[in-house]
Amino acid sequence: MTASELHAIMTTGFACIAGAVFAAYISFGACPRYLLSAAVMSAPGSLACSKLLYPETEESHVKDVKDLELPPSKETNDMECISSGSLVAVHIVTAVVANLISFMALMALVNGLVIYAGTLLGQPHWNLELIFGYIFFPVAYMIGVTENLEETMIVARLIGVKIIINDFIAYKRLGDVLREDLLSPRSAMIVTYALCSFSDFIAAGIQMAVLSEMAPSRKQLISKLVLRALLAGCISCFMSAAIAGILIDEPIACKPKSIGNGKCFDLNVHQTFMEKMMANSTGF
């Protein structure tokens, strides 16, 4: 596998979400219609962003499934296979947990230093989330949150929370924001698309751990590509959010309180929504 192909795999892992977290996002207040379409859009978008940031310069050794050669198994029976698989799983899980703790501790350390510096300078409200909010303010504005600068800052801070902590906390805070009616339907739609990914620093540590255990000989290359792949994954999500802002003329107001009564995920309404989106994309 070439470096560009490995980068594409890592980018796709950052830009897409797993089906297991879909229900969790909905329970926090995210609109399932937007999540579903964002998951579909992220697949081609991640590949496009990956190849833009790391073009292919080598000749791939695997151009067809027939070219893929797997080494013969060393196990001689089923019980040995089960035992070997369990040991491999233990190594991967241990590496994931270790990297998860390390990256969370690192982010907490940096956040503590920022808070301490702010306290010394008479700005006790400073933290890493606020700094990333200002950093991503131009991004939030460019992807379409332009109606109100206060909403732009809220969206920027949510994006910052997603990147420095994780997507679960970001969607939980999005649900709190929606309950307080701090975002317009359009801004809520755009930020739902922008947050729909695993592109955060903690996920970067997890991905490094998993891929390094699966391919120890490529560990150095994986560590070299991880930040670039993380950037590509973020760009892919921002592209999806911007495209949704262009194509969807009338965003739906999907609030957490509407999820329990079944109105939020009406299949008929969802079908109409997708048909309108496809019609707008054809005209665009």
Side-chain angles (χ1 to χ4, degrees):
M1 182 177 291
T2 65
S4 179
E5 291 172 340
L6 182 59
H7 182 266
I9 292 175
M10 298 174 69
T11 301
T12 305
F14 284 126
C16 300
I17 63 170
V21 301
F22 193 86
Y25 293 165
I26 296 174
S27 67
F28 292 145
C31 180
R33 305 173 198 173
Y34 298 150
L35 291 176
L36 185 60
S37 55
V40 175
M41 295 168 67
S42 294
S46 61
L47 290 176
C49 292
S50 172
K51 294 304 180 181
L52 285 173
L53 267 68
Y54 204 112
E56 184 64 82
T57 58
E58 307 173 65
E59 184 177 355
S60 177
H61 300 290
V62 182
K63 297 182 179 180
D64 193 86
V65 178
K66 298 178 181 179
D67 299 330
L68 185 62
E69 296 182 1
L70 298 177
S73 176
K74 298 179 181 179
E75 289 75 18
T76 57
N77 54 60
D78 295 340
M79 296 303 295
E80 189 176 358
C81 289
I82 295 173
S83 177
S84 299
S86 301
L87 291 176
V88 172
V90 168
H91 286 298
I92 294 177
V93 171
T94 303
V96 168
V97 172
N99 278 269
L100 182 63
I101 294 174
S102 299
F103 275 78
M104 290 182 66
L106 178 62
M107 299 308 298
L109 173 62
V110 175
N111 189 50
L113 292 175
V114 172
I115 294 174
Y116 179 71
T119 303
L120 293 179
L121 297 175
Q123 302 292 335
H125 62 282
W126 282 8
N127 54 38
L128 204 57
E129 176 186 339
L130 179 64
I131 293 176
F132 271 78
Y134 282 109
I135 292 174
F136 287 104
F137 185 89
V139 174
Y141 191 88
M142 286 188 291
I143 63 178
V145 187
T146 59
E147 299 176 3
N148 188 316
L149 293 183
E150 293 182 0
E151 292 189 6
T152 308
M153 177 55 72
I154 292 174
V155 171
R157 295 188 68 167
L158 288 173
I159 294 174
V161 168
K162 194 280 291 279
I163 292 178
I164 63 175
I165 306 178
N166 60 31
D167 45 300
F168 280 90
I169 303 299
Y171 272 115
K172 187 176 185 303
R173 295 194 182 182
L174 174 61
D176 297 336
V177 169
L178 294 178
R179 289 185 182 91
E180 297 175 6
D181 288 326
L182 298 178
L183 291 178
S184 65
R186 174 179 169 80
S187 298
M189 173 196 68
I190 291 175
V191 72
T192 302
Y193 277 92
L195 299 180
C196 190
S197 70
F198 288 147
S199 49
D200 56 75
F201 287 112
I202 294 177
I206 294 174
Q207 192 168 135
M208 283 182 58
V210 173
L211 294 179
S212 297
E213 284 294 324
M214 294 176 63
S217 60
R218 311 299 296 275
K219 185 175 182 179
Q220 185 175 2
L221 178 60
I222 291 170
S223 61
K224 179 182 177 182
L225 296 177
V226 65
L227 291 181
R228 186 182 300 190
L230 175 61
L231 176 61
C234 291
I235 294 175
S236 175
C237 297
F238 298 153
M239 285 175 53
S240 298
I243 292 172
I246 294 172
L247 298 181
I248 302 176
D249 296 328
E250 298 179 359
I252 55 176
C254 184
K255 298 181 180 180
K257 62 183 180 181
S258 65
I259 294 175
N261 56 24
K263 295 181 180 179
C264 190
F265 202 24
D266 187 342
L267 293 179
N268 294 326
V269 177
H270 174 67
Q271 182 178 0
T272 304
F273 168 78
M274 294 300 293
E275 289 175 353
K276 287 183 178 180
M277 186 173 179
M278 293 300 296
N280 289 336
S281 63
T282 303
F284 179 75

